[in-house]
Amino acid sequence: MKKISPKIYFASLVTVAVLFGAGGYLYGSIHELQNETVAKSNDDLAQVQQLYDEIKGSYYRDVDSKTLINGALKGMTEALDDPYTTFLDEEGSSQLNQSLSDSFEGIGATLQIKDDYPEIAQAPIKDTPAAKSGLRANDIILKVDQMTTKGKKLAEVVSKIRGKKGTEVVLQIKRGNETFAVTLKRDKIPLHTVTEKISNENKQIGVLQISSFGENTAKELKDAITSLRKQGAKSFILDVRQNPGGLLDQVEKMASMFLKDGQTIVEFKDNHHTVSKAVAGEKFDQGFKVTEPTVVLVDSGSASASEIFAAALKESAKIPIIGTTTFGKGTVQTVSPIDDKSSLKLTVSKWLTPKGNWIHEKGLEPTIKADFPDYAYLAPLPRDKELKQGQSSDEIKRLNRFLKALGYDTAGDVFNEKTKNALKDFQIKQHLEVSQTLNKETADAIEKQLTTQITSHDEAYYKGIDVLKKEMASKN
């Protein structure tokens, strides 16, 4: 397990407890950022010392000194009203260490506390249990198994969700006005961050899925591009959708591959208004360049490092960005040890796009807008009860919407004759028990078929194919 170094730089999405490893952390050198320790005079801390002495001397019960000190440190960070700055006690620091370890097991999501409830802070990593179960950013967790989460400390919720690979945890989720239960089987989160393939639609297009920016992602990308070139690829789709971020040094190396030497990758602005920047060059890419036509796919789950990468390619290399507006995280934090067991995560600068834009809480706008069908964003179907003819609810409205997406003439929030007949036909075609009701097996089959259908209606991907085909044709 990695120990927190004397100072780690990163750009995390939120103040989170990490349920998977390397959760959006960017560490390495933030170029030429000033790292000044602000000296505190004794007068500045006199009132804190006075309050400490008064509590220790006069409170009617014994008070642990460490509890008071941690409370004071936590209070100072909370006074900044910055969700990205926090005091990490022994447990919080331990969780950060685990998130940076070389191997980990979990569900593939990150949490933050919001309005007294744990909330999923960002899109889960692709192909993790959380992603496969349809969890999304801003989902609120009402229960973990039988434990109600309201008012619970984040560490307590996290420890309840974590567990050994292969074991299950049931989460009660609130999404908008809907609530539903999801059963997740914990798993080992894959460390390999780049997957490659030749497009089925055009054998001259290589497709690269980048799930996060880990310690070896730049090398993985270089190796994947080299492999795809040998397979005949003459252009590339880089997919960073649902990518929550990662290490800054990897972003710099990867972006430099697509930029001309001297072009800006990213700028930084600290509290002294000092602007520094990283520029493309051999020190980052070792001379490995990608000059073939390229597009980048993004969505609202593309955050932090993904946004730095996409912005660099969009504004410096003029590479088309296709999809939906990104998450919008534009600050940089450091993690510094307070003592052997605790640490401080502190926002120290903004990061800016090559054109000097700050996308914080706004996101990066795509060059070409494209999205999945609207039904791709609906909550999952219920598994804890049957839906039957004559019932009316938001869940049935969702069922009718799913069935309509599969080609059936259903609509509204009532389980009527059309809904019953549609389910009957679907169950016959899928070789399921013909109950003419929605049970767990039927819900699983509907969502599985919809997942396949959504993939085949990936508008951003097909827009990327069209753009690359035209670019390749214009070069011939």
Side-chain angles (χ1 to χ4, degrees):
M1 181 178 294
K2 296 182 180 178
K3 299 294 185 183
I4 296 177
S5 62
K7 183 157 285 190
I8 295 174
Y9 289 98
F10 65 98
S12 68
L13 284 173
V14 281
T15 303
V16 297
V18 183
L19 303 179
F20 62 94
Y25 293 105
L26 304 184
Y27 66 85
S29 61
I30 299 287
H31 295 282
E32 299 157 11
L33 285 177
Q34 296 186 10
N35 305 318
E36 300 178 352
T37 301
V38 180
K40 294 288 186 180
S41 69
N42 290 334
D43 288 342
D44 292 333
L45 298 177
Q47 289 179 311
V48 176
Q49 183 67 52
Q50 181 181 351
L51 178 59
Y52 175 85
D53 292 340
E54 186 71 21
I55 292 174
K56 287 291 289 182
S58 303
Y59 191 62
Y60 79 104
R61 292 188 301 187
D62 288 337
V63 181
D64 178 64
S65 297
K66 191 67 174 177
T67 300
L68 288 179
I69 293 170
N70 285 354
L73 294 170
K74 182 179 179 182
M76 279 192 278
T77 58
E78 289 180 348
L80 297 174
D81 195 26
D82 175 8
Y84 306 103
T85 293
T86 186
F87 166 70
L88 300 172
D89 59 15
E90 181 177 355
E91 193 164 14
S93 295
S94 175
Q95 290 169 2
L96 178 59
N97 284 334
Q98 290 181 46
S99 77
L100 297 175
S101 63
D102 293 331
S103 63
F104 46 88
E105 295 177 354
I107 66 169
T110 58
L111 302 184
Q112 64 177 344
I113 294 295
K114 185 175 181 181
D115 299 329
D116 224 20
Y117 281 98
E119 178 185 84
I120 295 178
Q122 62 198 67
I125 287 181
K126 185 176 180 179
D127 293 331
T128 60
K132 291 177 180 178
S133 297
L135 297 184
R136 297 181 196 148
N138 303 318
D139 282 350
I140 297 169
I141 301 176
L142 303 177
K143 286 185 178 181
V144 180
D145 291 330
Q146 299 303 313
M147 183 187 81
T148 301
T149 61
K150 184 177 182 181
K152 294 288 193 300
K153 290 184 177 181
L154 191 57
E156 185 177 357
V157 177
V158 170
S159 64
K160 185 75 172 175
I161 293 176
R162 281 178 175 160
K164 292 183 179 180
K165 175 183 176 180
T167 60
E168 291 186 343
V169 60
V170 179
L171 304 182
Q172 187 76 23
I173 301 294
K174 181 179 181 183
R175 181 181 297 166
N177 295 321
E178 299 177 287
T179 60
F180 54 91
V182 177
T183 301
L184 302 97
K185 182 176 288 188
R186 301 177 180 99
D187 200 357
K188 185 173 182 178
I189 308 304
L191 292 174
H192 192 69
T193 56
V194 179
T195 57
E196 65 184 81
K197 69 175 183 178
I198 291 291
S199 169
N200 292 327
E201 288 70 32
N202 188 304
K203 300 304 180 183
Q204 292 186 320
I205 297 176
V207 182
L208 300 113
Q209 172 76 45
I210 306 170
S211 62
S212 63
F213 294 83
E215 292 179 344
N216 297 306
T217 304
K219 182 180 183 304
E220 289 179 26
L221 179 64
K222 179 180 177 181
D223 291 345
I225 289 173
T226 301
S227 172
L228 289 170
R229 282 171 171 167
K230 291 178 180 178
Q231 297 175 59
K234 299 185 182 301
S235 61
F236 301 104
I237 292 176
L238 306 176
D239 191 346
V240 294
R241 291 177 295 181
Q242 303 299 299
N243 181 326
L247 308 184
L248 176 63
D249 67 328
Q250 300 298 302
V251 177
E252 292 171 329
K253 292 175 182 178
M254 295 162 67
S256 186
M257 296 176 190
F258 297 87
L259 274 57
K260 295 178 180 178
D261 288 353
Q263 288 185 320
T264 299
I265 298 170
V266 61
E267 294 184 351
F268 303 99
K269 190 174 184 180
D270 65 14
N271 62 341
H272 301 287
H273 307 294
T274 301
V275 176
S276 59
K277 63 182 179 180
V279 298
E282 190 170 354
K283 72 173 183 176
F284 289 127
D285 56 45
Q286 286 77 52
F288 182 86
K289 293 293 187 180
V290 181
T291 57
E292 295 93 334
T294 300
V295 299
V296 181
L297 308 185
V298 298
D299 66 4
S300 61
S302 305
S304 194
S306 298
E307 294 174 294
I308 293 175
F309 181 71
L313 270 61
K314 178 186 180 184
E315 293 187 1
S316 288
K318 309 301 181 187
I319 287 173
I321 307 300
I322 303 174
T324 59
T325 305
T326 62
F327 181 86
K329 166 63 172 62
T331 57
V332 175
Q333 288 73 37
T334 62
V335 173
S336 303
I338 300 296
D339 55 31
D340 290 342
K341 296 181 178 179
S342 61
S343 53
L344 170 68
K345 181 159 71 74
L346 181 69
T347 300
V348 294
S349 75
K350 301 175 179 179
W351 72 262
L352 309 175
T353 71
K355 291 184 177 180
N357 297 316
W358 194 37
I359 57 94
H360 192 63
E361 297 182 349
K362 295 182 291 186
L364 180 70
E365 292 292 329
T367 312
I368 302 171
K369 291 187 176 182
D371 200 359
F372 288 107
D374 59 354
Y375 59 79
Y377 298 100
L378 295 174
L381 294 169
R383 302 307 203 271
D384 56 347
K385 58 185 174 182
E386 280 196 339
L387 301 183
K388 303 177 181 180
Q389 187 171 5
Q391 295 176 338
S392 176
S393 67
D394 287 338
E395 294 169 327
I396 292 169
K397 183 177 181 180
R398 194 158 67 247
L399 169 62
N400 281 331
R401 182 68 188 89
F402 281 165
L403 290 170
K404 183 176 180 63
L406 292 176
Y408 295 99
D409 182 21
T410 55
D413 62 359
V414 176
F415 195 127
N416 54 26
E417 194 72 19
K418 288 184 177 181
T419 308
K420 185 184 76 170
N421 291 336
L423 279 175
K424 177 181 178 181
D425 183 67
F426 180 82
Q427 289 168 338
I428 291 172
K429 289 180 178 178
Q430 297 297 313
H431 306 291
L432 300 170
E433 178 186 355
V434 181
S435 64
Q436 301 177 63
T437 63
L438 182 73
N439 50 34
K440 182 182 183 303
E441 292 73 22
T442 304
D444 288 342
I446 289 174
E447 290 184 1
K448 182 178 180 180
Q449 189 160 331
L450 277 173
T451 298
T452 301
Q453 183 166 303
I454 288 169
T455 302
S456 68
H457 288 77
D458 188 346
E459 184 180 348
Y461 172 78
Y462 288 108
K463 285 277 188 183
I465 295 289
D466 289 341
V467 169
L468 292 177
K469 286 169 67 176
K470 289 177 182 176
E471 284 197 47
M472 287 189 294
S474 67
K475 289 191 172 186
N476 293 332

